[in-house]
Amino acid sequence: MEVVIYPDAERVARHGAGLVEAMLKVKPGAVFGFATGRTPIALYRRLVERHRAGAVSFARTTSFNLDEYLGIPADSPQSYRSFMDREFFDYVDIERENTHLPACAEGENPQRVGPAYEEKIRAAGGIDLQILGIGHNGHIGFNEPSSSLASRTRVKTLTRRTLEDNSRLFGPGEFQPRLAITMGIATIMEARHILLLATGENKAGAVARMVEGPVSAMCPASVLQLHECVTVLVDEPAAAGLQYREYYDLANRENQALIERFGAFYADD
Ligand code: PGA
């Protein structure tokens, strides 16, 4: 894992957006895996700015989101479809029909959504760059602790902690789904590159367990240790629990020197 620590969340977003931009240069028709949540919002804003400046285009890209709630319609303001429109899609030139979420239409059997979603990802050629956040409990997507590390896209019951974390998005008395459809851990692991962002002190424990703890279903993000191309961008507060911090900084200085000399972020460059 490449762990890069920045002084603040703004720089995490800027460097994350830089990696998306680098991917678009190499592959203008890249397939992206997008995430919702508070963390990636700053990255999406930065990408919108870069798009407005004429620096990036998503016109040829395809996207697959990690997850979607089960039981609320796509046009509800709390759906992840609405989140993506509001925070990103409405302001860039991505074709609406090329944006996908694992949504279950009214009356559809939710158990069928996962396999169909997997097939769509395969048909698009697989995900080139997957953006991830991390839950306080170490979840990625809605793969909660104890999720099978071999799981595929499926219906998942949310933990009490996740429901609490996300309750801010629902008004008093409003229906908050307890179920979601999420890409599985094995699905996420098939992405060619993974970019995980974590900011704020409440992520410090999860970040330390992900990077330095044992690989365990009790911290689903720890499985990323088995992926060959993961970049973890964190701010200082989120890095506070890392034991090998000094080594990551040293390795980054060396990597920077190599990049300055040879360029190339991606193997397929
Ligand atoms: P957050 O969510 O960005 O809102 O903290 C991250 C996650 O739960 O994956």
Side-chain angles (χ1 to χ4, degrees):
M1 271 182 179
E2 184 188 11
V3 181
V4 193
I5 300 153
Y6 293 104
D8 54 55
E10 182 49 38
R11 261 168 276 198
V12 167
R14 208 182 317 143
H15 286 269
L19 292 177
V20 172
E21 203 172 322
M23 170 58 83
L24 284 168
K25 282 211 180 81
V26 178
K27 196 167 178 184
V31 178
F32 289 101
F34 287 135
T36 52
R38 257 191 286 223
T39 314
I41 291 177
L43 174 138
Y44 295 140
R45 294 216 171 120
R46 177 76 186 166
L47 288 173
V48 168
E49 275 169 32
R50 297 292 291 153
H51 173 66
R52 286 190 174 140
V56 291
S57 169
F58 291 87
R60 290 171 54 196
T61 65
T62 301
S63 74
F64 291 90
N65 261 76
L66 281 170
D67 41 26
E68 178 59 285
Y69 283 121
L70 188 54
I72 48 176
D75 60 2
S76 148
Q78 286 105 354
S79 76
Y80 283 170
R81 158 61 72 186
S82 297
F83 174 101
M84 289 307 295
D85 289 347
R86 198 164 58 229
E87 300 296 342
F88 190 49
F89 294 154
D90 283 351
Y91 311 104
V92 293
D93 56 351
I94 194 164
E95 299 286 346
R96 177 56 59 108
E97 63 269 26
N98 293 340
T99 64
H100 307 279
L101 288 92
C104 184
E106 179 69 32
E108 190 183 358
N109 178 352
Q111 319 266 26
R112 291 190 187 279
V113 172
Y117 202 62
E118 298 273 339
E119 185 45 46
K120 267 192 216 154
I121 295 173
R122 261 193 299 277
I127 292 171
D128 292 302
L129 179 62
Q130 175 67 55
I131 294 165
L132 293 178
I134 181 170
H136 177 270
N137 62 6
H139 75 199
I140 45 176
F142 274 135
N143 294 287
E144 301 285 32
S146 82
S147 286
S148 161
L149 299 183
S151 52
R152 313 296 314 192
T153 307
R154 71 212 180 289
V155 177
K156 198 69 199 157
T157 303
L158 307 182
T159 59
R160 198 182 300 246
R161 174 68 206 228
T162 297
L163 291 171
E164 278 164 21
D165 284 350
N166 292 350
S167 62
R168 67 182 188 278
L169 304 168
F170 296 86
E174 221 166 12
F175 170 67
Q176 182 180 359
R178 293 172 176 283
L179 299 178
I181 299 178
T182 181
M183 275 188 204
I185 295 180
T187 323
I188 293 170
M189 288 292 280
E190 280 172 4
R192 294 180 188 93
H193 307 268
I194 293 180
L195 172 59
L196 186 141
L197 313 176
T199 55
E201 61 187 352
N202 69 333
K203 298 294 171 70
V207 167
R209 281 185 284 127
M210 162 179 71
V211 177
E212 297 176 347
V215 173
S216 161
M218 293 315 286
C219 178
S222 65
V223 75
L224 299 176
Q225 292 174 27
L226 300 174
H227 192 285
E228 67 176 331
C229 194
V230 179
T231 304
V232 177
L233 303 184
V234 291
D235 65 358
E236 286 288 350
L242 292 169
Q243 306 277 323
Y244 274 66
R245 154 71 203 253
E246 201 185 318
Y247 174 69
Y248 308 136
D249 288 343
L250 176 66
N252 286 322
R253 285 197 292 277
E254 295 297 342
N255 284 344
Q256 274 310 314
L258 283 176
I259 288 167
E260 270 155 36
R261 216 168 137 211
F262 300 106
F265 271 106
Y266 295 112
D268 44 354
D269 192 352

